[in-house]
Amino acid sequence: MSAEDGADVARSSLALGERVGSGGQGDVYAVTGGLLLFKEYKDPSKVNGTALADLAGLRQGLVQADRSRLDALAAWPLCRVVEGGRTLGFLMRRAPAPMTWRTAAGATKLLELQYLIRPPKAAWQDVAQPTPEQRRALALACVEAIGWFHDAGLVIGDISQANVLWSLSPEPAVHFLDCDGFRRVGRAAVQAQAATPDWNDPLAPSTDATVDTDAYKTALVAGRIVARQPYVRPGQDLELVPGCLDDRQGDGVRRLFAQAAGERGSRPRPSEWQTALSNRGVIKLTAATPRPRPAVDRTVLDGTRDRTPIRLRGPVQ
């Protein structure tokens, strides 16, 4: 079963293996004979099936290069799983193999962000820790991913230590989970917004999910990675991992982290974090004669700022 065409799949047609995960909203099962997983909702009556179909349709509408990028970044809903007119869940791919680790007892676990933002513990001593440079690269990969989602017209919502995976091989990379919690800007969510303790925006209700709450949580994830501090928040001192950032990067990251404590609408965007975390130096340009700017039809997302959405092949139904 590929689920590549995005069409609904009947629950009764699935051959399921063991349960591989469980959360507050659903259980995850292996689909026999492939690399797919089935997330089954615990209470289908609370699921907006149209919104879930919209997420699957977004992927179908992307050009191939962007679809491949989405698949690399996220365990995205491929299609709905239905039965008797109800939406019961969806199919998604397993996380990439490099984003797992094996315990001393032989169990396989996901390489969650929590193993990156906390000092190493004896219980997970087999998790390979990044070098300072790899830590910077992982923070950069994370903010680049968030920026990509925003450019695609998406709000993430619940960014936390449990739903972002990472790996060092073949290069530093990240992968987002619980993607049915995403929503398209201006459209309904699949379920009520989930919230993770210690990852909330203090200026917004936990049920809010906007580009601006994402901006605050971008500061949390970037700052906590480069500081290896799981609870540090904007407004507090950011003590960086030695050797992680050079002086320019460190100054930029500290400035953006402090700025994220400001009012809604003033938080740094992912592109600003990308510039600060980049290993490229700042090039000073001489003044030039300003040229007229072309007229551009702009779209404001969630009342916060302009973005150019990723190209779609056609309207998403």
Side-chain angles (χ1 to χ4, degrees), residues 31-267:
V31 176
T32 303
L35 298 177
L36 297 180
L37 299 174
F38 167 44
K39 180 173 180 178
E40 184 168 39
Y41 292 117
K42 293 181 177 180
D43 188 350
S45 68
K46 296 181 178 180
V47 175
N48 184 326
T50 300
L52 184 59
D54 195 33
L55 292 181
L58 178 139
R59 179 181 178 275
Q60 290 297 312
L62 295 176
V63 298
Q64 186 56 53
D66 289 332
R67 188 183 300 182
S68 297
R69 176 67 169 154
L70 178 62
D71 291 343
L73 288 177
W76 198 256
L78 300 176
C79 66
R80 298 187 303 182
V81 174
V82 299
E83 202 74 66
R86 296 194 306 164
T87 298
L88 302 184
F90 64 92
L91 295 180
M92 58 184 170
R93 289 188 177 87
R94 289 181 179 269
M99 295 186 179
T100 62
W101 67 284
R102 189 172 295 275
T103 68
T108 299
K109 291 190 174 184
L110 295 174
L111 195 53
E112 298 171 345
L113 191 66
Q114 64 170 317
Y115 301 116
L116 184 62
I117 63 175
R118 298 172 182 273
K121 298 180 180 180
W124 38 278
Q125 59 184 333
D126 292 327
V127 174
Q129 290 298 303
T131 65
E133 168 58 23
Q134 288 174 324
R135 181 172 293 276
R136 180 202 63 80
L138 286 167
L140 178 59
C142 204
V143 300
E144 285 178 341
I146 295 171
W148 193 93
F149 293 135
H150 284 183
D151 287 343
L154 293 162
V155 174
I156 301 170
D158 188 24
I159 302 173
S160 77
Q161 63 182 17
N163 57 22
V164 179
L165 306 181
W166 58 280
S167 69
L168 300 176
S169 177
E171 61 184 6
V174 297
H175 191 78
F176 282 65
L177 305 179
D178 294 337
C179 296
D180 55 324
F182 289 39
R183 68 173 178 84
R184 298 181 74 176
V185 171
R187 304 193 188 184
V190 176
Q191 292 195 90
Q193 177 61 48
T196 300
D198 301 314
W199 288 85
N200 63 300
D201 178 351
L203 300 185
S206 62
T207 54
D208 273 13
T210 66
V211 171
D212 198 70
T213 60
D214 279 1
Y216 183 83
K217 295 176 184 182
T218 301
L220 290 183
V221 72
R224 291 174 179 184
I225 289 174
V226 297
R228 201 171 65 184
Q229 298 180 34
Y231 302 112
V232 67
R233 282 184 173 272
Q236 300 175 343
D237 290 338
L238 193 65
E239 298 181 6
L240 304 175
V241 171
C244 183
L245 305 179
D246 62 25
D247 290 343
R248 178 194 67 82
Q249 294 161 348
D251 289 345
V253 164
R254 289 189 181 93
R255 175 179 57 80
L256 294 178
F257 196 69
Q259 183 183 337
E263 294 298 319
R264 300 184 67 179
S266 69
R267 280 81 176 262

